[in-house]
Amino acid sequence: FPTAIAITEQPVSVSVPVGYSFVLRCRAQGRTSLQYQWFCQYQSDCCLIPGATSQDLPIVAEQTKLYTCRVNDLHRNAVFSDWVKVEVHQCVARGLPPHLWQGEPVIVLNPSEQWVEVGQPLQLQCAAMGVPAPSYQWYCNGNLLEQQKRKKLFITHAKVSDSGTYLCCASNSHGEHWTNAVDVHIGEQSQPMLLCCTLPAFSLVVLATGKIALLVGNNRYQHHPNLMAPVRDVFELSRLLEHLGFQVVSLLD
């Protein structure tokens, strides 16, 4: 026997800025008249949405949630639509898409340059808005990475051969948009240094003649959030080197 109820149009996941208004749609066919009821899940709580008994569910984006629609007929047959994700980007509240935005991908998070030890995990991350929610494809040195199809690129154990220039393409039915290209360095020190220091934002060059030390602390990078530690490290190491008889010159940024 044919299925009593068949979903003919599934709702689709979206990725939108906070405050954005849109509609989730569900359509079904059955042997009798049909009734609709929408549900949402936030964190671990799943609940019925009061009054959401139409084929269309208007939403003003506030928080990232999952949604599904139950369709039932007069004979107590019921089916559920696919669960879809409404991803809400809080960080772009002041830059809502223009009214002419048709849902094409808009990059809201670019990956950042990475220095990784051999054998350590490598992770790059990007994010894009789009209606429907964009799909992702990562590339390295222009070559498609077949297994990297999520907004987060993850390699469990990085190899030297994983070094290169990475970027990601976000695409949906309206078009595509590319992230910035970033360099990944595997097994390379981020800055030259002669003293042990675990911070990639700090470099130290010691000029042996005359015991002169030049300290350079950098906490501003083009593709990395500002750091606070280099300022403190320059101060602490300058005191240490002065006790060792060095004449210290300290520079920041």
Side-chain angles (χ1 to χ4, degrees):
F1 295 98
T3 304
I5 304 173
I7 303 287
T8 58
E9 181 179 349
Q10 295 281 1
V12 296
S13 297
V14 301
S15 182
V16 296
V18 64
Y20 191 72
S21 299
F22 62 98
V23 174
L24 290 180
R25 293 167 49 91
C26 181
R27 299 289 186 271
Q29 292 180 344
R31 300 171 188 169
T32 68
S33 61
L34 301 175
Q35 298 174 328
Y36 294 79
Q37 176 62 60
W38 289 88
F39 295 79
C40 74
Q41 179 176 329
Y42 176 65
Q43 296 179 343
S44 60
D45 296 326
C46 181
C47 61
L48 175 150
I49 304 175
T53 57
S54 172
Q55 295 174 319
D56 295 338
L57 177 66
I59 295 177
V60 178
E62 294 180 355
Q63 294 174 312
T64 297
K65 296 181 180 179
L66 300 176
Y67 292 85
T68 187
C69 184
R70 184 190 66 204
V71 185
N72 61 275
D73 62 14
L74 300 181
H75 301 298
R76 298 185 180 180
N77 297 305
V79 296
F80 281 84
S81 72
D82 295 339
W83 281 96
V84 295
K85 184 177 184 179
V86 173
E87 183 179 34
V88 180
H89 296 275
Q90 302 288 339
C91 60
V92 291
R94 293 176 299 174
L96 296 178
H99 295 301
L100 297 178
W101 187 53
Q102 298 298 312
E104 65 274 11
V106 176
I107 302 296
V108 295
L109 175 65
N110 280 287
S112 58
E113 191 170 9
Q114 300 288 322
W115 282 267
V116 179
E117 298 280 346
V118 173
Q120 294 300 306
L122 165 63
Q123 179 173 294
L124 295 173
Q125 186 173 356
C126 71
M129 298 188 304
V131 180
S135 58
Y136 296 88
Q137 178 61 65
W138 287 89
Y139 294 79
C140 178
N141 297 327
N143 298 314
L144 183 147
L145 301 175
E146 187 64 36
Q147 305 301 319
Q148 303 293 346
K149 297 180 179 293
R150 300 175 181 269
K151 66 176 68 173
K152 290 185 179 180
L153 176 148
F154 187 76
I155 297 175
T156 307
H157 303 291
K159 306 182 297 294
V160 173
S161 59
D162 292 320
S163 296
T165 301
Y166 286 74
L167 75 168
C168 185
C169 178
S171 62
N172 63 12
S173 55
H174 297 291
E176 63 183 30
H177 204 142
W178 295 76
T179 67
N180 294 339
V182 297
D183 292 327
V184 171
H185 312 270
I186 309 298
E188 302 177 21
Q189 289 187 343
S190 59
Q191 297 285 348
M193 60 186 72
L194 296 181
L195 292 183
C196 178
C197 179
T198 59
L199 292 169
F202 179 77
S203 64
L204 171 66
V205 179
V206 177
L207 304 178
T209 303
K211 298 187 69 173
I212 299 174
L214 171 64
L215 298 179
V216 180
N218 187 23
N219 65 350
R220 294 181 183 176
Y221 284 89
Q222 182 178 1
H223 301 295
H224 193 283
N226 287 353
L227 305 176
M228 296 303 296
V231 176
R232 183 186 67 240
D233 290 346
V234 167
F235 176 75
E236 294 293 337
L237 282 174
S238 64
R239 289 201 308 172
L240 172 63
L241 290 170
E242 286 172 352
H243 283 305
L244 295 175
F246 283 81
Q247 179 182 349
V248 180
V249 178
S250 300
L251 299 175
L252 290 175
D253 296 323

